Amino acid sequence: VRMGNNDSYVDVWLVKPDFPTWVFGLSSFYLAVVFVLALISNTGVLLLYYKVRKLRNNFNLLLMSLLVGELVTAITGIPVEFVAALRGGWDLGEFPCISLGFMMTFLGMASIHNLTAISLYRWLAVRYEKSFPKDEPFVAKILIVTSWIWSFLLAVPPLVGYGAFSVEDNGMGCAPSWKDPEDFTYTMAIFIVGFFLPLSVIVFTSADLYYLIHKHFKTIEGPSVELCKIVTKKERQILKMMLVMIGMFLFCWTPYAYLALTGVLGYSKTVPLFFTVVPFLFSKSVIVWNALIYIFMNIKFQTAALELLPEGFADKLGVILGRQKEEESEDVEDVELEDLTNRDISHSSSILAVEVGSQVCKKQDKVEKEYAQVESSRSEKPGSPVARKEG
């Protein structure tokens, strides 16, 4: 880390921004909440995966890799940043800053690349459904190992002199030295490989995946009216989950990426110091959202969680989530997006068609029975047209 000119000594490891006390107080409270929520949600989902055997598939293995990284971030990085915010800025010294900068860069890159691996796995499983080895875990394991090794390699260069870690302008954490012109090549590499490229992969694979699912759903044969309604609803659900995943990625990382890019391009002075706080805090919330998304938007995780909870609490939570403990939903919505990565999409479409047909037959039988009961009751009434005709 460069210390300044020869005439004056600048302690770059001491950053105490001139913020109102409430900014640091609110930031430390926010980081504490993020720590608690991340600890509970990620640990809960990991335990759920460990205890419930039916959740142990290749797709969920990728998800667990993501959540392990989020949990490690919550345990190792957030507490240090909480302390810095609580103390009104960074005064913890050089070694803690470099250690924190490396860990948060490594884990941040791992989070982004694990999300990319999940999107890529889904796309490969559907796009190449006939040849993709869905039952073999080696593809998922290769993606996991690649994500972690690549993230590590992106975080290491500042430790060996190529780039540097420094205290954030807001004094609450440490990161790559975005503003130093001598580190331009490293910081631009981080941007291209660590943000723009993963974002492009996630958007492309999600869009193509939705197109493929829409195309296959259109080939389902069955009762036209009911099928159209249910398939349309399911497609909207899938689209909603994809948009939520992409939206979460952009919500958490885009403000911070924009802030860092202004530093890389030499425009950091145009951003008021106060506005460096919100992007910093937004980027920390990513360790909470992934676990929550997969609990509230994944029926299989919901069902597994309800089965493990005490009955009274599970019933109340089931009402909130729209599900009942130990009861099978009659909706075709139980065909999850992840099912399309665990078996052929054509097979999933067949299941969907069979379930729709079964449901429509049940509804038709119910209507016929109700109609028969009405006719029977009418025939029993004296003077009714049916009774006179029979007489």
Side-chain angles (χ1 to χ4, degrees), residues 314-334:
D315 292 339
K316 294 179 181 178
L317 186 59
V319 172
I320 297 174
L321 296 175
R323 302 193 62 77
Q324 299 296 323
K325 183 180 178 181
E326 296 180 354
E327 289 184 7
E328 292 294 329
S329 172
E330 293 183 355
D331 291 336
V332 187
E333 295 170 4
D334 283 343

Side-chain angles (χ1 to χ4, degrees), residues 277-316:
V277 177
V278 174
F280 171 80
L281 296 178
F282 272 24
S283 67
K284 306 305 169 185
S285 66
V286 70
I287 64 176
V288 176
W289 291 118
N290 289 316
L292 294 182
I293 285 173
Y294 278 90
I295 283 294
F296 286 102
M297 298 192 71
N298 188 299
I299 293 173
K300 288 181 173 56
F301 271 97
Q302 289 179 20
T303 305
L306 292 175
E307 289 175 354
L308 294 177
L309 293 173
E311 187 172 351
F313 180 73
D315 292 339
K316 294 179 181 178

Side-chain angles (χ1 to χ4, degrees), residues 11 26 30 58 62 145 226 258 268 274 347 349:
D11 188 356
L26 193 60
Y30 173 88
N58 296 332
L62 286 161
V145 172
E226 293 292 334
Y258 171 78
S268 59
F274 183 81
H347 180 56
S349 300

Side-chain angles (χ1 to χ4, degrees), residues 16-141:
K16 295 281 188 176
D18 187 20
F19 289 149
T21 305
W22 65 266
V23 172
F24 288 113
L26 193 60
S27 298
S28 59
F29 174 76
Y30 173 88
L31 291 170
V33 171
V34 167
F35 170 77
V36 172
L37 291 179
L39 197 63
I40 294 173
S41 59
N42 288 290
T43 303
V45 178
L46 288 168
L47 287 176
L48 203 61
Y49 176 83
Y50 174 76
K51 287 181 173 292
V52 182
R53 185 173 295 274
K54 65 182 179 181
L55 295 178
R56 299 179 198 168
N57 55 50
N58 296 332
F59 173 78
N60 287 341
L61 182 62
L62 286 161
L63 176 60
M64 294 308 109
S65 173
L66 171 67
L67 298 189
V68 166
E70 314 291 38
L71 184 60
V72 174
T73 303
I75 295 172
T76 61
I78 300 299
V80 180
E81 294 171 337
F82 167 78
V83 170
L86 203 61
R87 295 169 67 94
W90 189 269
D91 59 0
L92 303 177
E94 177 181 358
F95 180 75
C97 183
I98 294 175
S99 301
L100 178 66
F102 168 75
M103 285 299 296
M104 297 306 278
T105 302
F106 172 41
L107 294 170
M109 291 294 100
S111 175
I112 291 173
H113 288 107
N114 274 306
L115 281 171
T116 308
I118 290 172
S119 296
L120 188 60
Y121 183 89
R122 277 177 169 169
W123 178 73
L124 289 171
V126 176
R127 169 57 74 179
Y128 305 101
E129 59 173 310
K130 300 301 181 184
S131 58
F132 189 81
K134 296 183 177 67
D135 298 326
E136 299 295 331
F138 75 89
V139 176
K141 291 180 178 179

Side-chain angles (χ1 to χ4, degrees), residues 4 30 71 120 152 187-188 216 269 296 367:
Y30 173 88
L71 184 60
L120 188 60
F152 178 80
T187 50
M188 280 305 297
H216 278 280
K269 293 182 179 179
F296 286 102
V367 170

